[in-house]
Coordinates of all heavy atoms in Angstrom, one line a residue:
M3 N 8.9 18.6 -24.8 CA 8.0 18.3 -25.9 C 7.5 16.9 -25.8 O 8.2 16.0 -25.6 CB 8.9 18.5 -27.2 CG 8.0 18.5 -28.4 SD 9.0 18.6 -30.0 CE 9.9 20.1 -29.8
S4 N 6.2 16.8 -25.9 CA 5.5 15.5 -25.8 C 5.1 15.0 -27.1 O 4.7 15.7 -28.0 CB 4.3 15.6 -24.8 OG 3.3 16.3 -25.4
N5 N 5.2 13.7 -27.3 CA 4.9 13.0 -28.5 C 3.4 12.6 -28.4 O 3.0 11.9 -27.5 CB 5.8 11.8 -28.7 CG 5.6 11.2 -30.1 OD1 4.7 11.6 -30.8 ND2 6.5 10.3 -30.4
P6 N 2.5 13.0 -29.3 CA 1.1 12.7 -29.2 C 0.8 11.2 -29.5 O -0.2 10.7 -29.1 CB 0.4 13.6 -30.3 CG 1.5 13.9 -31.2 CD 2.8 13.9 -30.4
L7 N 1.8 10.5 -30.0 CA 1.6 9.1 -30.3 C 1.8 8.2 -29.0 O 1.4 7.0 -29.0 CB 2.5 8.6 -31.4 CG 2.3 9.2 -32.8 CD1 3.3 8.7 -33.8 CD2 0.9 9.0 -33.3
I8 N 2.5 8.8 -28.0 CA 2.8 8.0 -26.8 C 1.8 8.5 -25.7 O 1.7 9.7 -25.4 CB 4.2 8.2 -26.4 CG1 5.1 7.7 -27.4 CG2 4.5 7.5 -25.0 CD1 6.6 7.9 -27.2
G9 N 1.1 7.7 -25.0 CA 0.3 8.1 -23.9 C -0.9 7.1 -23.8 O -0.9 6.0 -24.4
M10 N -1.9 7.6 -23.1 CA -3.1 6.8 -22.8 C -3.9 6.7 -24.1 O -4.1 7.7 -24.8 CB -3.9 7.4 -21.7 CG -3.3 7.2 -20.3 SD -3.2 5.5 -19.8 CE -4.8 5.1 -19.7
P11 N -4.6 5.6 -24.4 CA -5.5 5.5 -25.5 C -6.7 6.4 -25.4 O -7.2 6.6 -24.3 CB -5.9 4.0 -25.5 CG -5.0 3.3 -24.6 CD -4.4 4.3 -23.7
Q12 N -7.2 6.9 -26.5 CA -8.3 7.8 -26.5 C -9.4 7.1 -27.3 O -9.2 6.2 -28.1 CB -8.0 9.1 -27.1 CG -6.9 9.9 -26.5 CD -7.2 10.4 -25.1 OE1 -8.3 10.8 -24.9 NE2 -6.3 10.3 -24.2
G13 N -10.7 7.5 -27.0 CA -11.9 7.0 -27.7 C -11.9 5.8 -28.6 O -12.1 4.7 -28.1
L14 N -11.6 6.0 -29.9 CA -11.6 4.9 -30.8 C -10.6 3.8 -30.5 O -10.8 2.7 -30.8 CB -11.4 5.5 -32.2 CG -11.5 4.5 -33.4 CD1 -12.9 3.9 -33.4 CD2 -11.1 5.1 -34.7
E15 N -9.4 4.2 -30.0 CA -8.4 3.3 -29.6 C -8.9 2.3 -28.6 O -8.6 1.1 -28.6 CB -7.2 4.0 -29.1 CG -6.5 4.8 -30.2 CD -5.6 5.9 -29.7 OE1 -5.5 6.1 -28.5 OE2 -4.9 6.5 -30.5
W16 N -9.7 2.7 -27.6 CA -10.3 1.8 -26.6 C -11.2 0.8 -27.3 O -11.3 -0.4 -26.9 CB -11.1 2.6 -25.5 CG -10.2 3.2 -24.5 CD1 -10.0 4.5 -24.3 CD2 -9.4 2.5 -23.5 NE1 -9.1 4.7 -23.2 CE2 -8.7 3.4 -22.7 CE3 -9.2 1.2 -23.2 CZ2 -7.9 3.1 -21.7 CZ3 -8.3 0.8 -22.2 CH2 -7.7 1.8 -21.5
L17 N -12.0 1.3 -28.3 CA -12.9 0.3 -29.0 C -12.1 -0.7 -29.7 O -12.5 -1.9 -29.7 CB -13.8 1.1 -29.9 CG -14.8 2.0 -29.3 CD1 -15.5 2.8 -30.3 CD2 -15.8 1.2 -28.4
V18 N -11.0 -0.4 -30.3 CA -10.2 -1.4 -31.0 C -9.6 -2.3 -30.0 O -9.6 -3.6 -30.2 CB -9.0 -0.6 -31.8 CG1 -8.0 -1.6 -32.4 CG2 -9.6 0.2 -32.9
I19 N -9.1 -1.8 -28.9 CA -8.5 -2.7 -27.8 C -9.6 -3.7 -27.3 O -9.4 -4.9 -27.2 CB -7.9 -1.9 -26.7 CG1 -6.7 -1.2 -27.2 CG2 -7.6 -2.8 -25.5 CD1 -6.1 -0.1 -26.2
L20 N -10.8 -3.2 -27.1 CA -11.9 -4.0 -26.6 C -12.3 -5.1 -27.6 O -12.5 -6.3 -27.3 CB -13.2 -3.1 -26.3 CG -14.4 -3.9 -25.8 CD1 -14.1 -4.5 -24.4 CD2 -15.5 -2.9 -25.7
A21 N -12.3 -4.7 -28.9 CA -12.6 -5.7 -30.0 C -11.5 -6.8 -30.0 O -11.9 -8.0 -30.1 CB -12.7 -5.0 -31.3
I22 N -10.3 -6.4 -29.8 CA -9.2 -7.5 -29.8 C -9.3 -8.4 -28.6 O -9.2 -9.6 -28.8 CB -7.8 -6.8 -29.9 CG1 -7.6 -6.1 -31.2 CG2 -6.7 -7.8 -29.6 CD1 -6.4 -5.2 -31.3
V23 N -9.7 -7.8 -27.5 CA -9.9 -8.6 -26.3 C -11.0 -9.6 -26.4 O -10.9 -10.8 -26.1 CB -10.1 -7.7 -25.0 CG1 -10.6 -8.5 -23.8 CG2 -8.8 -7.0 -24.7
V24 N -12.1 -9.2 -27.0 CA -13.3 -10.0 -27.3 C -12.9 -11.1 -28.2 O -13.3 -12.3 -28.1 CB -14.5 -9.2 -27.8 CG1 -15.6 -10.1 -28.3 CG2 -15.0 -8.3 -26.7
L25 N -12.1 -10.8 -29.3 CA -11.7 -11.8 -30.2 C -10.8 -12.9 -29.6 O -10.9 -14.0 -29.9 CB -11.0 -11.2 -31.5 CG -11.9 -10.4 -32.4 CD1 -11.1 -9.7 -33.5 CD2 -12.9 -11.4 -33.1
V26 N -9.9 -12.4 -28.8 CA -8.9 -13.3 -28.2 C -9.5 -14.2 -27.1 O -9.3 -15.4 -27.1 CB -7.7 -12.5 -27.6 CG1 -6.8 -13.4 -26.7 CG2 -6.9 -11.8 -28.7
F27 N -10.3 -13.6 -26.2 CA -10.8 -14.4 -25.1 C -12.2 -14.9 -25.4 O -12.6 -15.9 -24.7 CB -10.8 -13.6 -23.8 CG -9.5 -13.3 -23.3 CD1 -8.9 -12.0 -23.4 CD2 -8.7 -14.2 -22.7 CE1 -7.7 -11.7 -23.0 CE2 -7.4 -13.9 -22.2 CZ -6.9 -12.7 -22.4
G28 N -13.0 -14.3 -26.2 CA -14.4 -14.7 -26.4 C -15.3 -14.0 -25.4 O -14.9 -13.8 -24.3
A29 N -16.5 -13.7 -25.9 CA -17.4 -13.0 -25.1 C -17.8 -13.7 -23.8 O -18.1 -13.2 -22.8 CB -18.6 -12.6 -25.9
A30 N -17.9 -15.1 -23.9 CA -18.3 -15.9 -22.8 C -17.3 -15.9 -21.6 O -17.7 -16.1 -20.5 CB -18.6 -17.3 -23.2
K31 N -16.0 -15.7 -22.0 CA -15.0 -15.8 -21.0 C -14.7 -14.5 -20.3 O -14.0 -14.5 -19.2 CB -13.7 -16.3 -21.6 CG -13.7 -17.7 -22.1 CD -13.6 -18.6 -20.9 CE -13.6 -20.1 -21.5 NZ -13.4 -21.0 -20.4
L32 N -15.2 -13.4 -20.8 CA -14.9 -12.1 -20.2 C -15.4 -11.9 -18.8 O -14.7 -11.4 -17.9 CB -15.5 -11.0 -21.1 CG -14.8 -10.7 -22.4 CD1 -15.4 -9.6 -23.2 CD2 -13.3 -10.4 -22.2
P33 N -16.6 -12.4 -18.4 CA -17.0 -12.3 -17.0 C -16.1 -13.1 -16.0 O -15.8 -12.6 -14.9 CB -18.4 -12.8 -16.9 CG -18.9 -12.6 -18.3 CD -17.7 -12.8 -19.2
D34 N -15.7 -14.2 -16.5 CA -14.8 -15.1 -15.6 C -13.4 -14.4 -15.5 O -12.8 -14.4 -14.4 CB -14.6 -16.4 -16.2 CG -15.9 -17.3 -16.2 OD1 -16.7 -17.0 -15.3 OD2 -16.0 -18.2 -17.0
L35 N -13.0 -13.8 -16.6 CA -11.7 -13.1 -16.6 C -11.7 -11.9 -15.6 O -10.8 -11.7 -14.8 CB -11.3 -12.6 -18.0 CG -10.0 -11.9 -18.2 CD1 -8.8 -12.8 -17.9 CD2 -9.9 -11.3 -19.6
A36 N -12.8 -11.1 -15.7 CA -13.0 -10.0 -14.8 C -13.1 -10.4 -13.3 O -12.5 -9.8 -12.4 CB -14.2 -9.2 -15.2
R37 N -13.8 -11.5 -13.1 CA -14.0 -12.0 -11.7 C -12.7 -12.5 -11.1 O -12.3 -12.2 -10.0 CB -15.0 -13.2 -11.7 CG -15.4 -13.7 -10.3 CD -16.4 -14.8 -10.4 NE -17.6 -14.3 -11.1 CZ -18.0 -14.8 -12.2 NH1 -17.4 -15.8 -12.8 NH2 -19.1 -14.4 -12.8
S38 N -11.9 -13.2 -11.9 CA -10.6 -13.7 -11.4 C -9.6 -12.6 -11.2 O -8.8 -12.6 -10.3 CB -10.0 -14.8 -12.4 OG -9.8 -14.2 -13.6
S39 N -9.6 -11.6 -12.1 CA -8.7 -10.5 -11.9 C -9.1 -9.7 -10.6 O -8.3 -9.2 -9.9 CB -8.6 -9.6 -13.1 OG -9.9 -9.0 -13.4
G40 N -10.4 -9.6 -10.3 CA -10.9 -8.9 -9.1 C -10.4 -9.7 -7.9 O -10.0 -9.1 -6.9
Q41 N -10.5 -11.0 -7.9 CA -10.1 -11.8 -6.8 C -8.6 -11.7 -6.6 O -8.1 -11.6 -5.4 CB -10.4 -13.3 -7.0 CG -11.9 -13.6 -6.9 CD -12.2 -15.0 -7.2 OE1 -11.4 -15.7 -7.8 NE2 -13.5 -15.4 -6.9
A42 N -7.8 -11.6 -7.7 CA -6.4 -11.5 -7.5 C -6.0 -10.1 -6.9 O -5.1 -10.0 -6.1 CB -5.7 -11.6 -8.9
L43 N -6.7 -9.1 -7.3 CA -6.5 -7.8 -6.8 C -6.8 -7.7 -5.3 O -6.1 -7.2 -4.5 CB -7.3 -6.7 -7.5 CG -7.1 -5.3 -7.1 CD1 -5.6 -4.9 -7.3 CD2 -8.0 -4.4 -7.9
R44 N -7.9 -8.4 -4.9 CA -8.3 -8.4 -3.5 C -7.3 -9.2 -2.6 O -6.9 -8.7 -1.5 CB -9.7 -9.1 -3.4 CG -10.4 -8.8 -2.1 CD -11.8 -9.4 -2.1 NE -12.5 -9.1 -3.4 CZ -13.1 -10.1 -4.1 NH1 -13.2 -11.3 -3.6 NH2 -13.7 -9.8 -5.2
I45 N -6.8 -10.3 -3.2 CA -5.7 -11.0 -2.4 C -4.5 -10.2 -2.3 O -3.8 -10.2 -1.3 CB -5.5 -12.4 -3.2 CG1 -6.7 -13.3 -3.0 CG2 -4.2 -13.0 -2.6 CD1 -6.6 -14.5 -3.9
F46 N -4.1 -9.5 -3.4 CA -2.9 -8.7 -3.3 C -3.0 -7.6 -2.3 O -2.1 -7.3 -1.5 CB -2.7 -8.0 -4.7 CG -1.5 -7.1 -4.8 CD1 -0.2 -7.6 -4.8 CD2 -1.7 -5.7 -4.8 CE1 0.9 -6.8 -4.8 CE2 -0.6 -4.9 -4.9 CZ 0.7 -5.4 -4.9
K47 N -4.2 -6.9 -2.2 CA -4.4 -5.9 -1.2 C -4.3 -6.5 0.2 O -3.8 -5.9 1.1 CB -5.8 -5.2 -1.4 CG -5.8 -4.3 -2.5 CD -7.2 -3.6 -2.7 CE -7.2 -2.6 -3.8 NZ -8.6 -2.0 -3.9
T48 N -4.9 -7.6 0.4 CA -4.9 -8.3 1.7 C -3.5 -8.6 2.2 O -3.1 -8.4 3.3 CB -5.7 -9.6 1.7 OG1 -7.1 -9.2 1.3 CG2 -5.8 -10.2 3.1
E49 N -2.7 -9.1 1.2 CA -1.3 -9.5 1.5 C -0.4 -8.3 1.8 O 0.4 -8.3 2.7 CB -0.7 -10.3 0.4 CG -1.3 -11.7 0.2 CD -1.1 -12.6 1.5 OE1 0.0 -12.5 2.1 OE2 -2.0 -13.3 1.8
T50 N -0.6 -7.2 1.1 CA 0.2 -6.0 1.3 C -0.2 -5.4 2.7 O 0.6 -4.9 3.4 CB 0.0 -4.9 0.2 OG1 -1.4 -4.7 0.0 CG2 0.6 -5.4 -1.1
K51 N -1.5 -5.5 3.1 CA -1.9 -5.0 4.4 C -1.3 -5.8 5.5 O -0.9 -5.3 6.5 CB -3.4 -5.0 4.5 CG -4.0 -4.4 5.8 CD -5.5 -4.4 5.8 CE -6.0 -3.7 7.0 NZ -5.8 -4.4 8.2
G52 N -1.3 -7.1 5.2 CA -0.6 -8.0 6.2 C 0.8 -7.8 6.4 O 1.4 -7.8 7.5
L53 N 1.5 -7.4 5.3 CA 2.9 -7.1 5.4 C 3.1 -5.8 6.2 O 4.1 -5.7 7.0 CB 3.6 -6.9 4.0 CG 3.8 -8.2 3.2 CD1 4.2 -7.9 1.8 CD2 4.7 -9.1 3.9
R54 N 2.3 -4.8 6.0 CA 2.4 -3.6 6.7 C 2.1 -3.8 8.2 O 2.8 -3.3 9.1 CB 1.4 -2.5 6.2 CG 2.0 -1.8 5.0 CD 1.1 -0.6 4.7 NE 0.6 -0.9 3.4 CZ -0.7 -0.9 3.0 NH1 -1.6 -0.6 3.9 NH2 -1.0 -1.2 1.8
D55 N 1.2 -4.7 8.5 CA 0.9 -5.0 9.9 C 2.0 -5.8 10.6 O 2.3 -5.6 11.7 CB -0.4 -5.9 10.0 CG -1.6 -5.1 9.7 OD1 -1.6 -3.8 9.6 OD2 -2.7 -5.7 9.4
D56 N 2.7 -6.6 9.8 CA 3.9 -7.4 10.3 C 5.0 -6.4 10.6 O 5.7 -6.6 11.6 CB 4.3 -8.4 9.3 CG 3.4 -9.6 9.2 OD1 2.6 -9.8 10.1 OD2 3.6 -10.4 8.3
D57 N 5.2 -5.4 9.8 CA 6.2 -4.4 10.0 C 5.9 -3.6 11.3 O 6.8 -3.3 12.1 CB 6.3 -3.4 8.9 CG 6.9 -4.0 7.6 OD1 7.6 -5.1 7.8 OD2 6.8 -3.4 6.6
D58 N 4.7 -3.3 11.6 CA 4.3 -2.7 12.8 C 4.5 -3.6 14.1 O 4.9 -3.1 15.1 CB 2.8 -2.2 12.8 CG 2.6 -1.1 11.8 OD1 3.6 -0.5 11.4 OD2 1.4 -0.9 11.4
A59 N 4.3 -4.9 13.9 CA 4.5 -5.8 15.0 C 6.0 -6.0 15.3 O 6.3 -6.3 16.5 CB 3.9 -7.1 14.7
Q60 N 6.9 -5.8 14.3 CA 8.3 -6.0 14.6 C 9.0 -4.7 15.0 O 10.2 -4.7 15.0 CB 8.9 -6.5 13.3 CG 8.4 -7.9 12.9 CD 9.0 -8.4 11.6 OE1 9.7 -7.7 10.9 NE2 8.7 -9.6 11.2
A61 N 8.3 -3.7 15.3 CA 8.9 -2.4 15.7 C 9.6 -2.5 17.0 O 9.1 -3.3 17.9 CB 7.8 -1.3 15.7
T62 N 10.7 -1.8 17.2 CA 11.4 -1.8 18.4 C 10.6 -1.1 19.5 O 9.7 -0.3 19.2 CB 12.8 -1.2 18.2 OG1 12.6 0.2 17.9 CG2 13.6 -1.9 17.2
P63 N 10.9 -1.3 20.8 CA 10.2 -0.6 21.8 C 10.3 1.0 21.6 O 9.4 1.7 21.9 CB 10.9 -1.0 23.1 CG 11.4 -2.4 22.8 CD 11.8 -2.3 21.3
E64 N 11.5 1.4 21.2 CA 11.7 2.8 21.0 C 10.7 3.4 19.9 O 10.1 4.4 20.0 CB 13.1 3.2 20.6 CG 14.1 2.9 21.7 CD 14.6 1.5 21.8 OE1 14.3 0.7 20.9 OE2 15.2 1.2 22.8
Q65 N 10.6 2.6 18.8 CA 9.7 3.0 17.7 C 8.3 3.0 18.2 O 7.5 3.9 17.8 CB 9.9 2.1 16.5 CG 11.2 2.2 15.8 CD 11.4 1.2 14.8 OE1 10.8 0.1 14.8 NE2 12.2 1.4 13.8
R66 N 7.9 2.0 19.0 CA 6.5 2.0 19.5 C 6.2 3.2 20.4 O 5.2 3.8 20.4 CB 6.2 0.7 20.3 CG 6.0 -0.5 19.4 CD 5.5 -1.7 20.1 NE 6.2 -2.8 19.6 CZ 7.0 -3.6 20.2 NH1 7.3 -3.4 21.5 NH2 7.6 -4.6 19.6
E67 N 7.2 3.6 21.3 CA 7.1 4.7 22.2 C 6.9 6.0 21.4 O 6.1 6.9 21.7 CB 8.3 4.9 23.1 CG 8.2 6.0 24.1 CD 9.4 6.1 25.0 OE1 10.2 5.1 25.0 OE2 9.5 7.1 25.7
I68 N 7.7 6.2 20.3 CA 7.6 7.4 19.5 C 6.3 7.4 18.8 O 5.6 8.4 18.7 CB 8.7 7.4 18.4 CG1 10.1 7.6 19.1 CG2 8.5 8.4 17.3 CD1 11.3 7.4 18.2
Q69 N 5.8 6.2 18.3 CA 4.5 6.2 17.7 C 3.4 6.6 18.7 O 2.4 7.3 18.3 CB 4.2 4.8 17.1 CG 3.0 4.7 16.3 CD 2.8 3.3 15.7 OE1 3.5 2.4 16.1 NE2 1.9 3.1 14.8
T70 N 3.4 6.1 19.9 CA 2.4 6.4 20.9 C 2.5 7.9 21.2 O 1.4 8.5 21.5 CB 2.5 5.6 22.1 OG1 3.8 5.7 22.7 CG2 2.2 4.1 21.8
R71 N 3.7 8.5 21.3 CA 3.8 9.9 21.5 C 3.1 10.7 20.4 O 2.4 11.7 20.7 CB 5.2 10.3 21.6 CG 5.9 9.9 22.9 CD 7.3 10.5 23.0 NE 8.0 9.9 24.1 CZ 9.3 10.2 24.3 NH1 10.0 10.9 23.5 NH2 9.9 9.7 25.3
N72 N 3.4 10.3 19.2 CA 2.8 11.0 18.0 C 1.3 10.9 18.0 O 0.6 11.8 17.6 CB 3.4 10.5 16.7 CG 4.8 10.9 16.6 OD1 5.3 11.8 17.2 ND2 5.5 10.2 15.7
E73 N 0.8 9.7 18.4 CA -0.7 9.5 18.4 C -1.4 10.3 19.5 O -2.5 10.7 19.4 CB -1.0 8.0 18.6 CG -0.7 7.2 17.4 CD -0.8 5.7 17.6 OE1 -1.1 5.3 18.7 OE2 -0.6 4.9 16.6
S74 N -0.7 10.5 20.6 CA -1.3 11.3 21.7 C -1.5 12.7 21.4 O -2.3 13.4 22.0 CB -0.5 11.1 23.0 OG 0.7 11.7 22.9
D75 N -0.7 13.3 20.5 CA -0.8 14.7 20.1 C -0.8 15.7 21.3 O -1.7 16.5 21.4 CB -2.0 14.9 19.2 CG -1.8 14.5 17.8 OD1 -0.6 14.4 17.4 OD2 -2.8 14.3 17.1
G76 N 0.2 15.5 22.2 CA 0.3 16.5 23.2 C -0.5 16.2 24.5 O -0.5 17.0 25.4
E77 N -1.2 15.1 24.5 CA -2.0 14.8 25.7 C -1.0 14.2 26.7 O -0.5 13.1 26.6 CB -3.1 13.7 25.3 CG -4.1 14.2 24.4 CD -5.1 13.1 24.0 OE1 -5.1 12.1 24.7 OE2 -5.8 13.3 23.0
T78 N -0.7 15.0 27.7 CA 0.2 14.5 28.8 C -0.6 14.4 30.1 O -1.5 15.1 30.4 CB 1.4 15.4 28.9 OG1 0.9 16.7 29.3 CG2 2.2 15.5 27.7
S79 N -0.1 13.5 30.9 CA -0.8 13.3 32.2 C 0.0 14.0 33.3 O -0.1 13.7 34.5 CB -0.9 11.8 32.5 OG 0.4 11.2 32.5
G80 N 0.9 14.9 32.9 CA 1.7 15.6 33.9 C 3.0 14.9 34.3 O 3.8 15.4 35.0
E81 N 3.2 13.7 33.7 CA 4.5 13.0 33.9 C 5.6 13.5 33.0 O 5.4 13.9 31.9 CB 4.3 11.5 33.7 CG 3.3 10.8 34.6 CD 3.2 9.4 34.2 OE1 4.2 8.8 33.6 OE2 2.2 8.8 34.6
V82 N 6.8 13.5 33.6 CA 7.9 13.9 32.8 C 8.6 12.7 32.3 O 9.0 11.8 33.2 CB 8.9 14.8 33.6 CG1 10.1 15.2 32.8 CG2 8.2 16.1 34.0
L83 N 8.8 12.5 31.1 CA 9.4 11.3 30.5 C 10.9 11.6 30.5 O 11.3 12.6 29.9 CB 8.9 10.9 29.2 CG 7.4 10.5 29.1 CD1 7.0 10.3 27.7 CD2 7.2 9.3 29.9
R84 N 11.7 10.7 31.0 CA 13.1 10.9 30.9 C 13.7 9.9 30.0 O 13.3 8.7 30.0 CB 13.7 10.8 32.3 CG 13.2 11.9 33.2 CD 13.9 11.8 34.6 NE 13.2 12.8 35.4 CZ 13.8 13.4 36.4 NH1 15.1 13.0 36.7 NH2 13.2 14.3 37.1
E85 N 14.8 10.3 29.4 CA 15.5 9.4 28.4 C 16.7 8.8 29.1 O 17.4 9.5 29.7 CB 15.9 10.2 27.2 CG 16.3 9.4 26.0 CD 16.6 10.3 24.9 OE1 15.7 11.0 24.4 OE2 17.8 10.4 24.5
R86 N 16.8 7.5 29.0 CA 17.9 6.8 29.5 C 19.1 6.8 28.6 O 18.9 6.6 27.4 CB 17.6 5.3 29.8 CG 17.2 5.0 31.2 CD 17.0 3.6 31.5 NE 18.0 2.7 30.9 CZ 17.9 1.4 30.8 NH1 16.7 0.9 31.1 NH2 18.8 0.7 30.3
R87 N 20.2 7.1 29.1 CA 21.4 7.1 28.2 C 22.4 6.2 28.7 O 22.6 6.0 29.9 CB 22.0 8.5 28.1 CG 21.2 9.5 27.4 CD 22.0 10.7 27.2 NE 21.3 11.6 26.2 CZ 21.8 12.7 25.8 NH1 22.9 13.2 26.3 NH2 21.1 13.4 24.9
D88 N 23.1 5.5 27.8 CA 24.2 4.6 28.2 C 25.5 5.2 27.7 O 26.2 4.5 26.9 CB 23.9 3.2 27.6 CG 22.7 2.5 28.2 OD1 22.4 2.8 29.4 OD2 22.0 1.8 27.5
D89 N 25.8 6.4 28.1 CA 27.0 7.0 27.6 C 28.2 6.5 28.5 O 28.2 6.7 29.7 CB 26.9 8.5 27.7 CG 26.0 9.1 26.7 OD1 25.8 8.4 25.7 OD2 25.6 10.3 26.8
T90 N 29.1 5.9 27.9 CA 30.3 5.4 28.6 C 31.5 6.3 28.4 O 32.5 6.1 29.0 CB 30.6 3.9 28.2 OG1 30.9 3.9 26.8 CG2 29.5 3.0 28.6
T91 N 31.3 7.3 27.5 CA 32.4 8.2 27.2 C 32.3 9.5 28.0 O 33.1 10.4 27.7 CB 32.4 8.5 25.7 OG1 31.2 9.1 25.4 CG2 32.6 7.2 24.9
A92 N 31.5 9.6 29.0 CA 31.3 10.9 29.7 C 32.4 11.2 30.7 O 33.2 10.5 31.2 CB 30.0 10.8 30.5

């Protein structure tokens, strides 16, 4: 059962929110506020992309090999890849 009072604002509620924002910040400051929030979002996206790239750079050789195998999608040059094992309990 959902409560109709909880959720996203609809029509008239957005107008009330917009009026409160204009009263608090003033109409002259709204473009600057929008510009600075856009810059903050752009910086955030750049930093998260940089973190993902750093994770890829720190991958182990085994992870890189698996990634290249997945990217090739079955393209083989006829070579048989063998797996090295360091089993000392054999």
Side-chain angles (χ1 to χ4, degrees):
M3 193 183 299
S4 67
N5 188 351
L7 297 177
I8 299 175
M10 290 295 295
Q12 302 292 321
L14 184 61
E15 296 162 348
W16 279 114
L17 292 175
V18 171
I19 292 171
L20 181 64
I22 292 172
V23 168
V24 169
L25 287 174
V26 170
F27 292 107
K31 294 285 184 177
L32 288 179
D34 293 335
L35 181 66
R37 188 177 304 112
S38 63
S39 62
Q41 287 175 346
L43 183 62
R44 199 171 320 127
I45 291 169
F46 178 74
K47 284 182 180 180
T48 304
E49 291 298 322
T50 54
K51 184 179 184 293
L53 288 174
R54 276 190 243 125
D55 292 344
D56 287 345
D57 288 344
D58 291 342
Q60 294 175 357
T62 63
E64 292 84 11
Q65 290 171 336
R66 283 190 221 117
E67 182 179 349
I68 291 170
Q69 186 177 12
T70 55
R71 283 184 191 175
N72 291 340
E73 289 173 356
S74 67
D75 280 339
E77 296 175 14
T78 58
S79 61
E81 295 180 23
V82 177
L83 297 175
R84 296 184 185 206
E85 194 175 294
R86 261 184 48 196
R87 289 189 167 184
D88 294 329
D89 288 340
T90 58
T91 60

